[in-house]
Structures are given as C-alpha cells and as structure tokens.
Amino acid sequence: EIVTAWKNSITTVPLACDGFEILSDEAQKQIPELWTPHQKAQLSNYGVEIDDLNAAYAWLQHELTPLKMPRFGPVGDREVVVVDLLSLCGLFPSRRASERASIKVSRPRILILSSLMEAEFLSACEVFQSLLQVQLSVECEVIHGIQQMATCRPFAYYLVVLLFRGIFRDKDFAKLLLHAAYCAPSQRTLEMVPVIADSNFDFPSIDTLMKKSSISLPNPGGLAHAQQVLKGLRTVLALPFAPHSSAGLQQRQVAEIASRMHRYEDSVAAATNDENDDRLVHEEREFMPGCWSHCLGE
C-alpha cells in the first residue's frame, strides 16, 4: 500500500505517535530479508519490487512531514490533530470545524476514571466515553488529574471506574479515586459505577488494597474514608466492558451499564434537574470563593 501510494502520488500523511522512532538505514535494508520468496512473489504480482520498497520507505520517513499525535492527555488535543489530518487530505477544510473540535466539555455529568499509565487503558476510557454519551445524550469526561477532577466534580452525579489488571499499583489512580469519592457537606455525592474492562482483573482483599493504595485525603478521617471507598468499590456489582470486542457487543454492554444511571432515564426531566442543581453550585462559588479556591489548589 505504501509503494502504491508513492508510485501514484496519493496524498499520504504520516501520523507519528509518542514513542515512534524512524528506522535506521541499516534496519530498513534488512526488512526485505524478513519476507519469504513466496511473499516477494506476491508483491511482484502487484508491480512492487524491492527497490521500489526501499524508495517508498525513504519517502515516507524522510520526505513527508509527519503530524505529532499525543497518545496521552486530554482527548481534545488528539481531536485537533485529527482535524489537521483531515484538512491535509482535503476532507475538512473549515477552520470553524477545527475550532469546534477543540471545545472542552464544561459540565460533565458522568466522570470516567481509570489508571492512565497505559495508553491502551486511556483508549478504552475514551471509547467508553463516546459510547456512553451517545447512549444517554449526557456529557461525560475522562479524568486525567486532580485539578480537572476539582473543576468537573461539582457538576457530576456518577463516577464510572474502569478496572484493569494492576490498576491499584498506580498511585495517581488511587489518589484520584479517593478525591472523587470525598464529599464535603455542601457537595453532591457521586454514585460509583465499577466496570470490569479486563477479563484478567480480580479484586484484591481490602487489606491488600490499603497496602497498595496507601493514600489518604488531607482530613482527619482520611484513612477511614479510603477504607470506605475501596470497600464500596468491591461491594457494588461490576458490569463488563470489553475494549477489544466488536462495536455491537460494546454498545450492548454500555447500554446495560447506562441502565444503572437512573437519573437519566428521562433525559428531559434530568436536564431540568441538572440545571437547577447547577444554580446551587454557582451560588456556592459566589458566596464561598475562598473554599473553592482551596479545593482547586488541593
């Protein structure tokens, strides 16, 4: 496909993800040796010779300007790159469309949390976010850090936790989980919805969880709070979500998970209730700015 694009001057845009390194000249020369004579014969049937291959690879790596695709961080950063990609291909020329792609979610009602130490975990969260938003017509947000959590949490009602094997070794995940579950007297409580996104995941014991997630909030009841949160995560029945399955199965799984979010069974009534609750949040921010600044700082 690469040689065919090179030979026929097909618009080609390299998309370089984090961690990608171009092949050295020596490594590139060794690639044809990895193919069997039968595979080389198949290429010849398409008019592809070894010299063509080396020239096309050199063109792809050295003559074309790649777009940089960040695998981690907010999804908006990747959306901007996708719009640039489509623009280079002549499929998305509108600048206004690019601006729309970079709009951030302002009042997510459902927060999605997991360990982000693996790009695959983040990708699964974003796929789940997209499917859930379509299912409920409600804004969702994948949480990346404490400040984002502090900004989004006042407007949210549900916390979906995607569970993968080894997730409790991630201290950042444990810290975000405890901060999300902590509720000041004036704040709305987040209902926790655990989701098993890895067939190899198994809940450790509470004692094991406490040892692996030894992070407490800066308040006198921090340790008790951590124990309560981890116990709650274990006792709520976790439904499955398969990141590697077909789109149809994923949609059915997300629909079942969404059915637990009873607040949004009636989307019209929920929108009205959400707006009324938001007024209380704005009033609290107006009359207690010092408290909000402290929360954001923490």
Side-chain angles (χ1 to χ4, degrees):
E1 292 181 355
I2 293 173
V3 173
T4 302
W6 169 68
K7 279 188 169 184
N8 295 277
S9 300
I10 301 298
T11 300
T12 303
V13 183
L15 197 64
C17 296
D18 299 339
F20 169 77
E21 296 181 2
I22 64 173
L23 291 172
S24 65
D25 293 339
E26 187 63 30
Q28 184 175 316
K29 291 177 183 178
Q30 293 176 359
I31 287 180
E33 299 177 7
L34 303 176
W35 293 339
T36 66
H38 176 67
Q39 290 171 328
K40 293 178 181 178
Q42 286 182 312
L43 289 178
S44 296
N45 291 335
Y46 292 103
V48 176
E49 304 296 336
I50 295 302
D51 290 342
D52 294 336
L53 177 73
N54 286 325
Y57 273 27
W59 165 75
L60 180 70
Q61 294 192 115
H62 304 297
E63 297 181 30
L64 300 178
T65 302
L67 293 176
K68 303 294 184 180
M69 171 62 82
R71 293 190 298 157
F72 296 94
V75 67
D77 296 342
R78 287 186 288 284
E79 289 177 340
V80 171
V81 177
V82 171
V83 172
D84 291 341
L85 170 67
L86 295 173
S87 298
L88 290 173
C89 296
L91 302 174
F92 206 167
S94 171
R95 183 179 178 182
R96 294 178 64 184
S98 176
E99 293 171 352
R100 285 198 300 272
S102 62
I103 292 176
K104 306 295 183 181
V105 176
S106 56
R107 295 183 183 178
R109 308 304 180 181
I110 302 170
L111 307 183
I112 300 169
L113 180 63
S114 187
S115 169
L116 303 183
M117 59 184 179
E118 298 285 346
E120 184 176 349
F121 297 171
L122 175 58
S123 176
C125 288
E126 291 173 350
V127 170
F128 182 86
Q129 174 194 12
S130 178
L131 293 171
L132 189 60
Q133 285 185 156
V134 171
Q135 179 69 34
L136 292 176
S137 299
V138 174
E139 292 180 353
C140 307
E141 181 85 338
V142 178
I143 299 299
H144 296 261
I146 291 293
Q147 186 166 355
Q148 183 190 15
M149 176 69 76
T151 302
C152 296
R153 193 198 181 290
F155 302 100
Y157 298 92
Y158 293 95
L159 176 67
V160 179
V161 184
L162 266 64
L163 300 169
F164 295 89
R165 181 175 54 178
I167 192 172
F168 291 103
R169 291 195 297 268
D170 184 354
K171 299 294 185 180
D172 291 334
F173 162 73
K175 186 175 181 179
L176 283 170
L177 176 64
L178 296 182
H179 274 267
Y182 175 71
C183 181
S186 60
Q187 291 180 320
R188 63 186 70 163
T189 302
L190 289 181
E191 182 178 336
M192 196 177 300
V193 182
V195 173
I196 295 181
D198 184 345
S199 59
N200 294 314
F201 175 81
D202 188 23
F203 275 107
S205 66
I206 294 295
D207 291 339
T208 303
L209 287 178
M210 290 304 299
K211 291 177 181 178
K212 291 183 177 180
S213 307
S214 55
I215 299 176
S216 59
L217 289 175
N219 66 80
L223 182 60
H225 167 71
Q227 291 175 326
Q228 182 180 3
V229 171
L230 295 175
K231 184 177 180 180
L233 192 62
R234 277 182 56 91
T235 54
V236 178
L237 178 63
L239 295 176
F241 174 70
H244 300 291
S245 64
S246 66
L249 176 58
Q250 288 180 342
Q251 289 169 355
R252 291 193 295 273
Q253 289 176 329
V254 169
E256 185 176 1
I257 294 167
S259 66
R260 288 192 171 186
M261 302 174 188
H262 302 294
R263 182 182 183 86
Y264 295 104
E265 291 175 345
D266 184 339
S267 58
V268 176
T272 302
N273 294 334
D274 290 352
E275 295 250 347
N276 292 334
D277 288 352
D278 289 347
R279 292 193 187 96
L280 299 178
V281 173
H282 289 302
E283 290 174 3
E284 183 174 324
R285 284 184 170 181
E286 181 178 352
F287 290 105
M288 301 175 63
C291 176
W292 280 97
S293 298
H294 172 74
C295 291
L296 286 171
E298 292 291 347

